[in-house]
Amino acid sequence: MRAVHSPQKRATMISSSVAILLVIVKLIIGLASGSVAVLASAIDSILDMAVSLFNYFAIQKSEEHPNGVYQYGKGKIQAIAAVIEGTVITVSGLYIIYIGFEKLLEASVTSFVFPAIFAMLISIIVTYFLVQYLLKIAKETDNLVIKADALHYKTDLWSNAAVLVALGLVAITELDWIDAVFGIGIGIYIIYSAYEIIVDGIEILLDRALDGEMVAQIGEIISKHPEVTSYHWLRTRTDGTTNFVEFHMVLRPNMLLLEAHRIADEVEDKIKLLDTKKRWVITPHFDPYDDEEMNDALLHGKSLIGLKKVTD
């Protein structure tokens, strides 16, 4: 039976194939020409290939259903992949800067400039169409790994353009240090671009709350239900694929459990419409009175003495 791939996995397979093609072209031209900028771009494409392959397996694991051992699923693998990808990008940027300074000190010559220019033109065209495709999939799926991959190849697009400019200037002026300077600049830009990827991944691993605007919308949905007296202890997080929401809502003390369950379903259905691209795990807690003060005291290890429990 033919395997069915999700849009995310198909995107990583395509990006891996493109990276392999670019590695072959850039590595041959980079080694032959001695261009730091082209060689730096080739090294970056090798890392692109490795990262895209890693992303494929990360997405495959993150899409596995929860089980008895991983009861909340493996969605955070995406965040781990993003942190690793950002770190790899940073290391590649540092290496490119090192090569650039080495060429400046040794004053080595760049040869085969025009074949290198042709190779970079091919690279720019191919990378441009890949970026457009990845951005489309990222928009459709809101997948963190694909977003990171799209950002990664977008930085490649700009760095490839910078390499092309550098080679053009070397061809015109015959000043080989221009190639090294552009290579260093590309390395700095690559490191800068990795920062956002790493931060996004770390924030998911630390269970950062959902976007403030979305949290406010969730609170508004709960409070506007005509049979909900009030709510408290609204907590949210995401693993990149699934949004998790917990809250306490205050209902009439004499309400039947069947009614309370109906109200919870109505609230949950509206919350899920806020982002239909993500899965949702919503856990409501029913309170017959507002016990927020008591819960806060327990959470922070404070004494319950003096707290008045409202029972009516």
Side-chain angles (χ1 to χ4, degrees):
M1 188 175 178
R2 191 175 178 181
V4 178
H5 296 291
S6 67
Q8 298 95 306
K9 284 195 282 188
R10 189 161 53 248
T12 55
M13 290 170 68
I14 291 172
S15 61
S16 298
S17 301
V18 170
I20 291 169
L21 172 65
L22 295 178
V23 165
I24 294 170
V25 174
K26 291 179 186 177
L27 205 55
I28 292 172
I29 298 296
L31 291 172
S33 66
S35 168
V36 173
V38 175
L39 193 59
S41 189
I43 292 169
D44 193 38
S45 292
I46 291 172
L47 293 170
D48 290 345
M49 178 183 66
V51 166
S52 293
L53 287 170
F54 176 75
N55 286 345
Y56 174 82
F57 292 107
I59 289 174
Q60 188 175 41
K61 283 293 180 184
S62 71
E63 290 179 350
E64 290 181 2
H65 295 293
N67 54 40
V69 179
Y70 298 98
Q71 297 178 345
Y72 291 93
K74 300 177 182 177
K76 283 190 178 181
I77 287 179
Q78 294 180 67
I80 296 171
V83 172
I84 292 173
E85 180 170 353
T87 304
V88 169
I89 295 170
T90 301
V91 171
S92 69
L94 290 171
Y95 183 65
I96 290 167
I97 292 171
Y98 167 76
I99 292 177
F101 277 113
E102 190 176 50
K103 180 168 184 176
L104 281 176
L105 294 172
E106 294 179 357
S108 54
V109 178
T110 304
S111 56
F112 299 107
V113 175
F114 290 103
I117 290 174
F118 180 71
M120 295 314 300
L121 278 171
I122 293 174
S123 177
I124 287 171
I125 293 169
V126 172
T127 305
Y128 173 79
F129 285 107
L130 176 61
V131 167
Q132 297 308 308
Y133 171 70
L134 290 174
L135 287 173
K136 177 177 175 289
I137 299 299
K139 186 177 180 181
E140 290 176 356
T141 63
D142 198 28
N143 184 280
L144 179 62
V145 173
I146 302 302
K147 284 181 180 179
D149 227 16
L151 179 61
H152 191 177
Y153 282 101
K154 197 173 182 180
T155 62
D156 282 357
L157 188 60
W158 287 106
S159 64
N160 289 340
V163 172
L164 187 62
V165 172
L167 291 171
L169 290 174
V170 170
I172 295 169
T173 65
E174 297 184 355
L175 298 174
D176 292 291
W177 59 264
I178 293 175
D179 175 62
V181 170
F182 268 77
I184 293 169
I186 292 167
I188 294 171
Y189 178 69
I190 286 172
I191 293 171
Y192 172 76
S193 71
Y195 175 77
E196 184 180 346
I197 299 173
I198 294 172
V199 169
D200 285 347
I202 289 174
E203 286 183 339
I204 286 178
L205 292 174
L206 293 177
D207 288 335
R208 191 194 72 171
L210 297 177
D211 178 75
E213 184 179 345
M214 181 168 286
V215 173
Q217 289 176 322
I218 292 172
E220 188 176 2
I221 288 171
I222 301 169
S223 62
K224 280 192 172 181
H225 194 287
E227 295 178 90
V228 175
T229 305
S230 65
Y231 76 92
H232 53 274
W233 260 37
L234 171 59
R235 294 185 291 182
T236 64
R237 66 182 178 90
T238 185
D239 66 6
T241 300
T242 304
N243 291 337
F244 297 86
V245 180
E246 302 173 35
F247 59 89
H248 289 208
M249 59 181 180
V250 182
L251 304 172
R252 296 194 315 273
N254 59 346
M255 180 177 287
L256 293 174
L257 179 59
L258 187 64
E259 291 181 87
H261 192 272
R262 172 185 57 79
I263 294 168
D265 283 345
E266 291 171 357
V267 169
E268 289 176 33
D269 288 343
K270 287 186 178 180
I271 291 173
K272 289 175 182 177
L273 292 176
L274 294 175
D275 188 352
T276 56
K277 297 175 184 176
K278 298 283 182 69
R279 294 196 296 265
W280 290 82
V281 174
I282 303 173
T283 309
H285 177 84
F286 308 132
D287 279 337
Y289 52 83
D290 191 338
D291 61 353
E292 181 178 9
E293 191 177 358
M294 184 188 304
N295 288 329
D296 283 340
L298 290 170
L299 179 66
H300 297 98
K302 297 177 182 178
S303 173
L304 296 179
I305 298 173
L307 289 178
K308 182 181 177 182
K309 183 176 179 180
V310 182
T311 56
D312 55 355

